[in-house]
Amino acid sequence: MRRSMRRPAPRKAARLRRAALRATATFGLGLSLLAFGTAEAAPAAGPASAPVSAPVSGSGVAPPSAATPGAATLWTPGIRDAAHPGRFVREFARRKALLRAPGPEAVLALLGAMVELQGEIPGLEMAAFLDGARKHREPLVASHAGYLRAQLEEARGDQARATAMYRAEGFVLDWQIVGPFENTGRAGHAAVYAPETDPFSAGQSFVGKLPGEPLVWRRFVHEQAPRGAFINLADLLDPPEQAVGYATVWVKVDRPGRAALHLGTSGAYKVWHDGVLVGSDDTYRTPTPLQASHALELRAGWNRILIKLATDDGMWGFYARLSAPDGRPLAGLVSTLEPQSTPVSPGAKDRSVSTGPKGQVAKASPGAGGVASSPVGVGRPGAGGVASSPVGVGRPGVRSLRAALEAKGQGPRARPADRLALVEFYRWTLPFAREDRSAVDRAREADSALGTARSAYLLATLDPDQNNSRVALQRAVERARAEGSGSREGGAPLLATLLVELSLRDRYLGLESRARALLDEAFRTAPDDVIVELALAERLSEDGFPLAALAWVGDMQRRYPDSAILARQQAERRMNLGRTEEALQILGTLQGAQPTDLGVAAEMQDGLLRLGRADEAVAIARERVRLVPGLPESHRALARFEEARGDLAAARAAMQRAADLAPA
């Protein structure tokens, strides 16, 4: 049985970025360490956020003793003092300053915040920052802050509170889903399948992708399989490749009126409201919550929404949020996956709506392959697709952050700073298909207008062409050196980041001496950057001194006792040195503070099996099932560990539960 735990893995974009990541992995650093993320996606189990002291509280494990002055011959410790507060403290301060902007550009303070800061800034400080952002004067910024605040609760394991917070912002979480239907050659977007034409009936079945296997509507309850408000069809529908699925929900409002449906989708989609097509797009991309927006005319009482979503061989899911036209939460909104009586509009009516700046649709510009792109990421005519269009001249549309930033950041009169803000938004929200060069073109325009290290860095980040990206990165390094340590554009911290990135790429190309020189320069530039130090510690380990590298990481933990990254590094290095028991104690502390982190749980289980403690590995798997009972993969994992300890009956029961959730 082939299954996928497809998660919205933030931080994966162009091929060049993946090449750099392979080099990063060679250093032994995860992508979250470098914080070179490119997507504001929201997996249910994000990076650990546990404050971990050194020694780890209650573990009995102390870091290796720090080097005394004059005794450290293999490594030189970094600095942490008032003038050198550390990488993450600096980044947190930068984001606080960005949040002071009065308009939609303030969202740049929030995009990527969980990727870059969760686990490195104390949880109470992160919560206070997000709670403050929820009061922002721009309702779309305030709502996104509320979304991230819910993510923080989800990471802590408080699913009930997280669910309530998602719903308060208008996220629609529970759906009836059915599939898969055929999408070979991406033909499923144009094909008409029965769920989009037949009235809903709880007992109905359909002929789908696999002959002889009837498809029925299945219940997707987010709280039982939480992934940051992401509706992951691949959790319950199999096979999740070259497929089309449908999701439907009923929403209730007290008064009729216009509403906004904000979507983030992994593939080509169509949206119907009470049988009327209101939106369509044929883009395949990494889903994030801020990619597209459509206008709906909701009736008082119950309304049915139906979404058709295609996938090829990537992720398969979506985000959906309903709001007032200006982006505020919709008063009195109720949603349910239980069927309700709603009016049905016969025929294939098309009232597709997508709004650009000030409620108007801007002129589309040709994208890759002749596909036009509109300001809010919808309305592109595709093969057999239905293009979104305005609902009439002068009628008010709906607002979105993307439309607002595009209105300010595009065109001949756009200010350079607004151009750069739009590019930063694209970096995290990934609204375009991989082959669409719209984001790269906007980044090139911003770099031409500004000519700064940061503008060149963003161009290097977004350009999928390996050679062009490298040229842009080298240009960014040269500019950062010229701008100096006090530059408002980033100064020494940005230069250090650029040097580490270029070092990783050089090493991937086999330019070892150049890579080492760049990394040494990065350390001289920012001696309080733990990511630079970790790269140097890994280099020391690879040079044949793993115990010295472990001591170096221990010294970093004394300077940054709240860092989850350093705790994970300690555990990994101890595990690799055969100190499994010590590693397990550190991981146990991390897991206690972030119970939904699947990565920590998996590392603990691997260590327990090494020690022959299968019963304890099973206990962790059972706790995972308790936290996410609706996720088939959690039951399959439990089955594997039950088998490892010899309880075949329990293993069969767990596999049966997984099969009940997602028949294959």
Side-chain angles (χ1 to χ4, degrees):
M1 182 188 319
R2 184 177 182 186
R3 289 298 302 162
S4 169
M5 270 195 66
R6 300 181 189 278
R7 293 168 33 172
R11 314 184 293 262
K12 293 183 181 177
R15 292 191 183 98
L16 180 55
R17 306 301 302 169
R18 290 195 292 271
L21 295 184
R22 285 194 292 271
T24 306
T26 304
F27 273 94
L29 302 176
L31 173 57
S32 61
L33 304 190
L34 285 171
F36 289 150
T38 54
E40 177 73 350
S49 62
V52 180
S53 301
V56 178
S57 175
S59 69
V61 180
S65 59
T68 57
T73 57
L74 296 177
W75 53 275
T76 302
I79 302 171
R80 188 180 188 188
D81 55 27
H84 301 85
R87 174 192 185 99
F88 300 110
V89 172
R90 291 194 308 264
E91 176 62 16
F92 197 31
R94 186 185 76 87
R95 288 178 175 273
K96 288 179 178 179
L98 289 174
L99 191 61
R100 290 197 286 268
E105 63 274 13
V107 77
L108 300 183
L110 304 174
L111 295 177
M114 299 293 281
V115 172
E116 295 193 338
L117 298 177
Q118 188 183 14
E120 306 311 308
I121 297 298
L124 291 178
E125 291 185 38
M126 278 293 292
F129 170 65
L130 295 174
D131 286 339
R134 293 167 71 186
K135 302 174 184 177
H136 197 276
R137 61 186 294 181
E138 167 55 67
L140 290 163
V141 173
S143 176
H144 195 65
Y147 165 72
L148 296 181
R149 187 66 176 83
Q151 273 193 306
L152 198 60
E153 294 302 322
E154 185 174 304
R156 292 171 175 171
D158 192 340
Q159 303 301 347
R161 187 175 184 188
T163 296
M165 296 179 79
Y166 288 132
R167 292 192 191 281
E169 298 301 335
F171 281 89
V172 184
L173 301 178
D174 301 338
W175 298 72
Q176 297 260 11
I177 64 175
V178 66
F181 298 86
E182 188 59 72
N183 190 39
T184 299
R186 297 187 174 181
H189 182 60
V192 178
Y193 297 115
E196 63 193 80
T197 59
D198 295 354
F200 181 88
S201 172
Q204 68 194 140
S205 64
F206 308 98
V207 177
K209 183 180 179 73
L210 302 178
E213 294 191 14
L215 304 176
V216 298
W217 291 100
R218 310 192 66 78
R219 298 164 64 90
F220 182 97
V221 179
H222 179 269
E223 192 170 338
Q224 295 183 3
R227 296 186 185 277
F230 183 66
I231 312 305
N232 192 25
L233 302 188
D235 279 340
L236 301 184
L237 305 182
D238 192 50
E241 296 90 17
Q242 306 294 322
V244 165
Y246 292 84
T248 193
V249 71
W250 289 262
V251 298
K252 182 182 180 182
V253 291
D254 295 330
R255 298 179 180 179
R258 175 156 294 198
L261 176 61
H262 306 279
L263 290 176
T265 56
S266 59
Y269 70 87
K270 294 181 181 180
V271 184
W272 291 266
H273 168 224
D274 286 341
V276 177
L277 185 69
V278 294
S280 176
D281 191 8
D282 62 357
T283 301
Y284 288 77
R285 59 195 169 196
T286 299
T288 68
L290 303 177
Q291 291 173 329
S293 299
H294 300 276
L296 305 177
E297 294 291 344
L298 295 179
R299 300 176 174 89
W302 290 104
N303 300 254
R304 184 190 174 199
I305 295 174
L306 175 68
I307 295 177
K308 175 183 183 178
L309 182 65
T311 182
D312 44 18
D313 57 356
M315 296 169 63
W316 191 18
F318 64 93
Y319 299 88
R321 174 181 177 251
L322 278 167
S323 78
D326 66 353
R328 300 177 193 276
L330 197 59
L333 176 66
V334 177
S335 66
T336 181
L337 51 68
E338 303 298 340
Q340 304 293 326
S341 177
T342 60
V344 177
S345 301
K349 293 184 180 179
D350 176 7
R351 296 178 185 168
S352 307
V353 178
S354 90
T355 60
K358 299 180 181 179
Q360 300 299 315
V361 173
K363 292 182 179 180
S365 58
V371 178
S373 59
S374 73
V376 289
V378 292
R380 305 186 198 179
V386 180
S388 298
S389 59
V391 268
V393 177
R395 295 186 64 183
V398 296
R399 299 182 66 247
S400 74
L401 286 167
R402 181 176 172 188
L405 291 171
E406 285 178 333
K408 297 177 67 174
Q410 295 186 129
R413 297 184 179 180
R415 296 189 310 139
D418 292 331
R419 294 183 186 275
L420 192 68
L422 176 60
V423 173
E424 191 88 60
F425 179 82
Y426 286 161
R427 174 198 179 195
W428 290 107
T429 60
L430 302 177
F432 303 110
R434 179 180 298 175
E435 63 274 11
D436 190 328
R437 291 187 59 84
S438 296
V440 179
D441 292 341
R442 301 295 84 76
R444 200 172 301 283
E445 293 167 1
D447 189 48
S448 297
L450 280 165
T452 63
R454 187 163 190 85
S455 65
Y457 169 54
L458 289 175
L459 176 58
T461 300
L462 289 170
D463 197 332
D465 183 277
Q466 184 172 1
N467 293 327
N468 291 341
S469 178
R470 183 179 180 83
V471 169
L473 182 59
Q474 290 173 325
R475 186 185 307 129
V477 170
E478 293 167 2
R479 290 176 181 173
R481 286 169 174 159
E483 289 168 5
S485 60
S487 168
R488 294 178 60 185
E489 291 294 325
L494 177 59
L495 176 56
T497 294
L498 296 171
L499 291 168
V500 172
E501 169 106 356
L502 189 56
S503 173
L504 292 171
R505 297 192 190 197
D506 280 351
R507 186 173 184 190
Y508 179 68
L509 295 174
L511 305 174
E512 185 66 29
S513 296
R514 186 182 300 177
R516 295 175 78 94
L518 289 168
L519 197 55
D520 290 338
E521 182 185 352
F523 186 49
R524 293 193 300 272
T525 301
D528 61 341
D529 192 321
V530 297
I531 302 309
V532 177
E533 282 196 78
L534 283 171
L536 288 167
E538 181 61 22
R539 189 177 76 183
L540 182 63
S541 179
E542 292 180 350
D543 287 345
F545 302 99
L547 293 176
L550 181 63
W552 196 346
V553 175
D555 185 84
M556 282 185 266
Q557 273 194 293
R558 266 176 287 276
R559 283 177 275 133
Y560 304 97
D562 295 331
S563 172
I565 286 174
L566 293 176
R568 294 284 287 266
Q569 280 283 303
Q570 276 278 11
E572 180 182 339
R573 291 176 185 281
R574 290 173 186 271
M575 194 81 76
N576 292 339
L577 289 169
R579 300 180 180 181
T580 306
E581 188 65 54
E582 297 173 2
L584 286 173
Q585 292 172 21
I586 297 171
L587 291 171
T589 302
L590 282 171
Q591 189 192 39
Q594 185 129 2
T596 61
D597 192 322
L598 183 58
V600 172
E603 291 174 36
M604 287 193 66
Q605 288 167 320
D606 179 64
L608 289 167
L609 290 181
R610 290 188 192 183
L611 298 178
R613 292 153 59 179
D615 287 350
E616 294 175 60
V618 166
I620 293 174
R622 287 177 176 170
E623 176 63 12
R624 176 72 179 169
V625 166
R626 186 190 69 80
L627 289 170
V628 285
L631 190 63
E633 183 57 33
S634 64
H635 296 276
R636 295 190 187 95
L638 175 59
R640 291 194 293 271
F641 290 111
E642 293 284 14
E643 181 186 20
R645 73 167 187 156
D647 192 337
L648 298 183
R652 292 191 191 97
M655 285 299 292
Q656 184 59 52
R657 177 57 181 156
D660 292 341
L661 288 170

